[in-house]
């Protein structure tokens, strides 16, 4: 007669830890987008993620660690989604790039930028993160648009597209700007086609 072992959770500890971390990051982004920096605490994020405050602090020792990691996480998800786009025409690519700046990620990132402008301990982290995200987004945009940056003005044209998309995201923060945005995106696509061909 062998020894009977008590039943155990079959999910490896490492997998549970990754799942908890992911829930915390997603909850942090939602909190930032909905409540801003002032209303987004580690306790609020832990509650939304369904974990204890201690578990949250195990993964992210400080509030700055949590929210910087959350925006970075979603930025990486956004980049992965962009890279996964099927080869399309430039109209669809421009629309997809603009969509990046009109959703919850942009709202969360915007809250983090505002907080970083007033929080000296947060500013260098957010500045470095945004520089990295900006470079990656630009690189993906060049690839998706099949833009030849060796030609004069092409790099600036692609960057202009991304800056315009960010501006449209800002315009969308207070009111739904969908109707106006459609016209701007259509016209920008025409200008982009001329500049890149």
């Amino acid at each position: 007669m062998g020894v009977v072992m008590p039943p155990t959770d079959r999910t490896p500890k490492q997998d549970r830890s990754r799942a908890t971390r992911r829930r915390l990051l997603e909850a942090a982004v939602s909190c930032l987008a909905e409540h801003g920096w002032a209303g987004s605490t580690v306790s609020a994020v832990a509650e939304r993620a369904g974990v204890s405050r201690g578990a949250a602090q195990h993964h992210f020792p400080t509030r700055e660690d949590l929210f910087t990691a959350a925006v970075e996480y979603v930025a990486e998800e956004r980049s992965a989604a962009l890279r996964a786009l099927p080869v399309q025409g430039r109209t669809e690519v421009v629309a997809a790039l603009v969509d990046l700046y009109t959703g919850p990620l942009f709202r969360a990132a915007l809250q983090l930028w505002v907080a970083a402008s007033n929080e000296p301990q947060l500013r260098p982290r957010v500045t470095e993160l945004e520089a990295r995200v900006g470079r990656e987004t630009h690189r993906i945009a060049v690839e998706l648009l099949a833009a030849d940056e060796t030609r004069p003005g092409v790099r600036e044209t692609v960057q202009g597209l991304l800056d315009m998309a960010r501006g449209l995201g800002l315009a969308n923060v207070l009111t739904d700007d969908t109707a106006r945005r459609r016209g701007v995106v259509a016209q920008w696509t025409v200008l982009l086609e001329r500049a890149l061909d």
Side-chain angles (χ1 to χ4, degrees), residues 98-115:
V98 168
D99 285 348
L100 290 178
Y101 294 97
T102 55
L105 169 63
F106 181 74
R107 286 179 182 271
L110 184 58
Q111 294 295 335
L112 199 59
W113 298 341
V114 171

Side-chain angles (χ1 to χ4, degrees), residues 24-96:
L24 284 164
L25 293 172
E26 290 170 352
V29 169
S30 296
C31 276
L32 267 179
E34 292 172 25
H35 306 294
W37 177 256
S40 297
T41 63
V42 174
S43 295
V45 170
E47 183 178 329
R48 184 177 283 223
V51 302
S52 69
R53 181 181 166 88
Q57 288 182 311
H58 169 75
H59 287 277
F60 304 101
T62 68
R63 183 180 186 210
E64 292 79 12
D65 290 336
L66 173 61
F67 289 104
T68 303
V71 172
E72 182 172 21
Y73 162 76
V74 181
E76 288 169 3
E77 292 287 307
R78 178 180 74 181
S79 293
L82 271 179
R83 285 190 297 270
L85 282 176
V87 176
Q88 305 179 62
R90 287 185 174 143
T91 301
E92 293 81 12
V93 171
V94 170

